[in-house]
Amino acid sequence: QVQLQESGPGLVKPSQTLSLTCTVSGGSISTAGYYWSWIRQHPGRGLEWIGYIYYSGNTHYNPSLKSRVTISVDTTTNQFSLKMTSATAADTAVYYCAREDSYGTRSFDYWGQGTLVTVSS
Amino acid sequence: QSALTQPASVSGSPGQSMTISCTGTSSDVGGYNLISWYQQHPGKAPELIIYEGTKRPSGVSNRFSGSKSGNTASLTISGLQAEDEAHYHCCSYAGRSTLVFGGGTKLTVL
């Protein structure tokens, strides 16, 4: 059973960089056929796809966030990470990491529990 | 890339059927059969209940079904139960390796 767990600061100051890590257990992040994704949910609102990374390092980002987002992977620790620069209050949200099937279904079958990040001084 | 359109809320009585719509464009919902639906209970992570528009993952109740017509995808829940009260989110492939979600729908079981 694959499990994902987000970790990182719950409070980020405006203009600083928001950084989160997702640790994958119960399976290898290097398994072919899966994208490792970040998704966020603003308070009381819907989900927003941020982007994904393949174990090879290939990435794709939401065009609306692309200029501020970097997703990286460390296959030796079975982790992938999110960095979002120039954080503002609009980035306050619950951030989820998830596994996406890249071989056609393009659906998210495993999710982390989510972590709330508040951007405030 | 605009969010897909879902009704903010729907409600129904136990035993009834309920359909939640998810409207996009020919660049996302209408262009691909890569629609997924997620159920999210309060304080919990979303869970996959429908993928590729109509398919259910193992373990998901057959009371959940999906369909699509043109630029609108739909999730139907038959025989509503109290445990179905949750938020429901649709998601579609939108080309160029991007995905787009809907705004989410809160289902209340009266």
Side-chain angles (χ1 to χ4, degrees):
Chain A
Q1 176 83 349
V2 173
Q3 292 183 309
L4 297 92
Q5 178 69 57
E6 306 88 352
S7 59
L11 181 63
V12 175
K13 287 183 166 48
S15 80
Q16 293 192 339
T17 296
L18 183 159
S19 297
L20 295 172
T21 295
C22 182
T23 301
V24 179
S25 59
S28 173
I29 205 168
S30 299
T31 300
Y34 298 107
Y35 294 140
W36 301 96
S37 305
W38 288 98
I39 296 156
R40 70 180 181 180
Q41 185 171 31
H42 293 101
R45 294 174 62 181
L47 300 166
E48 179 179 29
W49 176 72
I50 298 172
Y52 72 73
I53 191 163
Y54 197 55
Y55 75 91
S56 61
N58 185 34
T59 56
H60 278 277
Y61 303 123
N62 185 325
S64 67
L65 298 171
K66 185 176 182 178
S67 64
R68 298 194 295 126
V69 169
T70 302
I71 299 176
S72 58
V73 66
D74 186 341
T75 56
T76 64
T77 59
N78 231 31
Q79 296 176 324
F80 63 105
S81 299
L82 169 71
K83 289 190 185 301
M84 183 177 293
T85 60
S86 305
T88 70
D91 296 313
T92 294
V94 174
Y95 286 76
Y96 294 98
C97 56
R99 188 182 82 167
E100 179 192 345
D101 177 3
S102 70
Y103 278 168
T105 75
R106 302 307 303 267
S107 58
F108 301 98
D109 56 357
Y110 288 99
W111 295 66
Q113 65 185 24
T115 187
L116 174 62
V117 178
T118 301
V119 180
S120 174
S121 56
Chain B
Q1 189 184 53
S2 299
L4 307 176
T5 300
Q6 296 182 239
S9 63
V10 296
S11 62
S13 300
Q16 288 185 329
S17 289
M18 178 60 61
T19 296
I20 298 171
S21 62
C22 171
T23 301
T25 69
S26 58
S27 296
D28 38 62
V29 174
Y32 308 93
N33 286 321
L34 296 175
I35 313 297
S36 52
W37 288 90
Y38 302 87
Q39 179 189 61
Q40 184 180 30
H41 287 106
K44 301 293 187 181
E47 293 185 12
L48 178 65
I49 55 173
I50 295 288
Y51 66 96
E52 289 186 323
T54 61
K55 300 177 181 178
R56 284 186 307 275
S58 174
V60 173
S61 171
N62 59 8
R63 297 187 298 105
F64 294 93
S65 62
S67 62
K68 191 184 86 168
S69 177
N71 295 337
T72 298
S74 298
L75 171 72
T76 298
I77 309 169
S78 60
L80 275 177
Q81 299 179 1
E83 66 203 50
D84 299 331
E85 185 161 296
H87 279 84
Y88 292 85
H89 306 272
C90 63
C91 179
S92 174
Y93 181 68
R96 298 184 180 181
S97 286
T98 64
L99 295 165
V100 62
F101 282 95
T105 298
K106 178 177 171 55
L107 168 64
T108 300
V109 180
L110 302 171

